[in-house]
Amino acid sequence: MKKTKDKVLIHATKISLDEWLNYVYANEKTDSFLILDCCFPTDEMKEQYIKDIDQKTDKEVKFLLSKFLISGGRFNSDNIIEDFFFMQPIEKQEQLLNSFTYYQRLISLKDWNVLWPSITWIVDLLPSSPYDAINAINSYYSAHCLFLTDHRIHGISDAISLIEAKYISHKLPIRQILLDIPSRDFELLTAYLYNKKGYKIRITPRTRDGGYDVLAIKDNQREYEKLHIECKRYTEKVGVQIIRGILGTLNVENATKGVIVTTSDFTKTAYDEAKKSCRLELININEFDKDMRENTEINWIQKIPQFISEIKKIL
């Protein structure tokens, strides 16, 4: 710990995660410390924080995100880039100005103190739209990566890791919840998913099951797809006989592809058979969860009754 003018310099890499967090929180109120707070000081700290992220409140995670994401202003490194710019020939300067709005802001007297546009607004997309938040961060990075310092690059990467860990990869008792609902509701939930993907859907009547549970059709000027979707609410792995059964329905009704969705997984021979056919998609419990999170809501498991009610109105 070293005093620099009116602030105390903290060597963030030499303290514990808890100590670092305490300094960052305290600095928000007192601004008494010079400490690295635009990213985790070490990979070990990052891994430790993410390991316990389920114990962190939404407020705590969003606070760190606001520190890691650029909030605007101008950095010392920008002055170095400005010196480099004015060392270039006039032709090169004009080329840079035409290629990057960063350089336009860099030399603008009007925008001198607001060189960097803020990206902290993406916090408002959480927890409901974490994929949109990550896409926005990635776009911001793509546009500005040439001018970011290493710490700022690490901060953006750390922000994405926090969003993924807190709002996307969190654990839910998905399999057991799906096993506890009626088979028909699992079929309706799958139909809801494919409706969200842009398909027109129909449920096969119970008394006339033709080897599939859901018919999904996408028909527009660019593409035509007719899917036979079989839903298997199993605890054991789905075997190759099920695979061959749905493959047999495809040619009969001119379907373009078969899909099998299960609450478990598939045997190796089932995967091999599907790969060999080139007309079958196998979706296990993890892939189903991923699809639901991406196409409906992150906390979809809590809205199953609502989704089922909505799809019944469409059918």
Side-chain angles (χ1 to χ4, degrees):
M1 191 179 293
K2 180 180 178 182
K3 192 148 187 176
T4 304
K5 292 185 178 180
D6 297 328
K7 294 187 178 183
V8 177
L9 176 63
I10 307 297
H11 296 287
T13 59
K14 298 181 179 180
I15 58 179
S16 69
L17 172 63
D18 287 340
E19 290 173 319
W20 177 74
L21 288 171
N22 287 336
Y23 278 123
V24 173
Y25 289 136
N27 220 28
E28 192 70 7
K29 297 179 179 179
T30 65
D31 195 25
S32 302
F33 309 105
L34 287 175
I35 187 168
L36 176 64
D37 62 0
C38 64
C39 64
F40 285 109
T42 66
D43 288 339
E44 290 74 17
M45 285 189 187
K46 173 182 172 180
E47 292 169 4
Q48 184 181 349
Y49 189 91
I50 288 178
K51 180 182 177 182
D52 299 326
I53 202 162
D54 288 340
Q55 302 172 24
K56 308 296 183 184
T57 66
D58 195 54
K59 183 178 180 180
E60 290 174 317
V61 174
K62 286 184 175 181
F63 171 76
L64 273 192
L65 287 172
S66 70
K67 304 300 291 185
F68 293 171
L69 296 170
I70 293 172
S71 59
R74 188 182 181 100
F75 307 134
N76 290 333
S77 58
D78 296 319
N79 297 329
I80 298 174
I81 297 175
E82 184 178 23
D83 290 340
F84 160 81
F85 175 83
F86 284 114
M87 289 172 60
Q88 305 305 307
I90 296 299
E91 295 79 6
K92 180 65 174 178
Q93 291 182 19
E94 291 179 353
Q95 180 184 347
L96 292 172
L97 289 170
N98 290 331
S99 300
F100 302 98
T101 58
Y102 168 84
Y103 283 108
Q104 296 172 23
R105 299 192 302 272
L106 182 70
I107 64 171
S108 169
L109 293 177
K110 177 182 177 182
D111 297 329
W112 195 91
N113 287 317
V114 288
L115 174 57
W116 286 93
S118 173
I119 189 64
T120 55
W121 56 266
I122 71 97
V123 173
D124 295 337
L125 294 172
L126 304 171
S128 61
S129 302
Y131 289 104
D132 289 341
I134 289 175
N135 288 337
I137 295 172
N138 282 329
S139 296
Y140 187 95
Y141 174 79
S142 296
H144 299 94
C145 59
L146 292 176
F147 314 108
L148 291 167
T149 64
D150 287 347
H151 283 148
R152 284 296 177 179
I153 291 174
H154 290 317
I156 286 176
S157 175
D158 290 348
I160 291 174
S161 295
L162 286 180
I163 292 170
E164 290 176 337
K166 181 65 175 177
Y167 303 108
I168 296 177
S169 301
H170 57 278
K171 302 298 182 182
L172 292 170
I174 296 164
R175 184 181 182 188
Q176 190 56 52
I177 291 174
L178 293 179
L179 289 172
D180 287 343
I181 65 175
S183 297
R184 195 59 164 177
D185 283 355
F186 182 45
E187 295 169 9
L188 290 167
L189 188 62
T190 302
Y192 180 86
L193 169 62
Y194 276 83
N195 182 252
K196 285 295 183 180
K197 286 184 174 185
Y199 292 86
K200 294 179 180 179
I201 52 91
R202 179 165 59 85
I203 301 291
T204 303
R206 274 288 180 209
T207 55
R208 287 185 289 179
D209 192 333
Y212 58 92
D213 302 306
V214 180
L215 177 65
I217 297 176
K218 185 180 288 185
D219 187 5
N220 55 51
Q221 292 180 341
R222 296 187 60 182
E223 60 182 332
Y224 175 81
E225 264 194 304
K226 183 179 182 181
L227 308 182
H228 286 179
I229 305 172
E230 182 78 0
C231 304
K232 296 299 181 185
R233 198 172 54 91
Y234 285 7
T235 54
E236 69 276 11
K237 290 184 177 181
V238 177
V240 72
Q241 292 302 322
I242 300 295
I243 306 301
R244 290 170 181 162
I246 195 168
L247 282 173
T249 72
L250 300 183
N251 292 331
V252 175
E253 299 187 30
N254 294 320
T256 53
K257 188 171 74 171
V259 180
I260 301 179
V261 182
T262 183
T263 52
S264 57
D265 204 346
F266 301 89
T267 63
K268 183 180 183 303
T269 53
Y271 278 117
D272 290 342
E273 187 76 13
K275 185 177 181 180
K276 185 171 62 176
S277 75
C278 298
R279 294 183 66 191
L280 194 58
E281 181 180 6
L282 304 184
I283 301 178
N284 63 20
I285 182 63
N286 293 327
E287 291 301 315
F288 182 75
D289 176 38
K290 181 180 178 181
D291 272 5
M292 289 295 291
R293 294 187 191 216
E294 290 182 353
N295 292 281
T296 63
E297 296 186 24
I298 290 298
N299 295 317
W300 66 269
I301 202 74
Q302 300 169 2
K303 296 193 173 183
I304 290 178
Q306 175 186 326
F307 292 164
I308 291 174
S309 176
E310 288 180 15
I311 199 63
K312 283 182 177 179
K313 295 176 182 177
I314 297 174
L315 296 173

